[in-house]
């Protein structure tokens, strides 16, 4: 199988699983919790002040920012999805963090885009403390950014280690040349 096809299978596989989970959880919330209602299993009521499932709508960006920007964020989602699909084949084959990050970003953009196109707003339901209410797609975008940053950090670390090893090799060669030079000079005399 072509390596690009395999890469796209990874991209669409990661995105597909996350989008399916996102859409299923949003459907469950819409079907089981009235709008602005709240739910928490009886065995977990101790979590109430800190975490709960609520039913909320959002016409803005992730975490409720920029309300009433549905059209702008719909267009932006199409652009992001297109850019990810276009640039994905250019990712180095060994750069798994960027591949996973792009899959998560694709999933987040797609999950919320589906809501915007089908309902005109995004269903949010995860409420943690005073943090804005969010959903699986929003979390996927955030985790994708975290994985991307982790990948950048790992790549920079790997590059620094490679330079240090290369620097040590060069230093060793220079020392061996310096050590050999006086001996060679004495033999020539």
């Amino acid at each position: 199988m072509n390596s690009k096809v395999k890469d796209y299978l990874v991209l669409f596989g990661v995105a597909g699983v996350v989008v399916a989970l996102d859409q299923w959880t949003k459907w469950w919330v819409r079907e089981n919790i009235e709008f602005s209602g709240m739910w928490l299993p009886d065995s977990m009521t101790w979590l109430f002040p800190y975490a709960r499932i609520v039913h909320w709508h959002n016409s803005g960006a992730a975490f409720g920012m920029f309300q009433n920007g549905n059209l702008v964020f719909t267009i932006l989602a199409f652009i992001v999805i297109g850019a990810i699909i276009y640039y994905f084949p250019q990712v180095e084959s060994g750069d798994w963090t960027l591949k996973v990050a792009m899959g998560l970003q694709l999933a987040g953009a797609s999950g919320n885009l589906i809501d915007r196109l089908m309902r005109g707003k995004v269903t949010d339901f995860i409420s943690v403390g005073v943090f804005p209410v969010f959903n699986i797609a929003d979390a996927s975008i955030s985790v994708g950014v975290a994985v991307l940053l982790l990948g950048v950090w790992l790549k920079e670390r790997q590059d620094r280690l490679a330079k240090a090893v290369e620097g040590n090799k060069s230093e060793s060669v220079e020392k061996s040349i310096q050590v050999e030079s006086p001996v060679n000079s004495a033999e020539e005399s």
Side-chain angles (χ1 to χ4, degrees), residues 55-154:
H55 183 177
W56 203 249
H57 294 152
N58 173 8
S59 61
F63 308 114
M65 297 184 294
F66 311 113
Q67 289 298 308
N68 300 318
N70 202 40
L71 179 61
V72 171
F73 291 110
T74 299
I75 293 167
L76 186 58
F78 276 115
I79 292 169
V80 167
I81 290 167
I84 289 171
I85 292 170
Y86 177 78
Y87 286 108
F88 192 78
Q90 298 173 29
V91 175
E92 293 177 19
S93 61
D95 196 349
W96 65 270
T97 55
L98 183 54
K99 289 180 181 183
V100 170
M102 290 176 85
L104 292 170
Q105 296 288 325
L106 178 62
S110 299
N112 284 339
L113 178 62
I114 291 168
D115 277 16
R116 291 182 197 288
L117 294 175
M118 302 295 286
R119 292 180 173 69
K121 56 192 170 261
V122 175
T123 300
D124 288 333
F125 59 92
I126 302 169
S127 178
V128 179
V130 296
F131 197 74
V133 180
F134 60 100
N135 59 45
I136 302 293
D138 297 337
S140 180
I141 292 168
S142 297
V143 171
V145 169
V147 170
L148 178 64
L149 293 174
L150 173 67
V152 169
W153 178 76
L154 289 172

Side-chain angles (χ1 to χ4, degrees), residues 164-182 184:
V165 167
E166 185 61 37
N168 287 341
K169 284 182 183 176
S170 298
E171 198 174 288
S172 297
V173 169
E174 287 176 17
K175 285 182 181 177
S176 68
I177 291 171
Q178 290 173 352
V179 168
E180 290 178 13
S181 293
N184 291 341

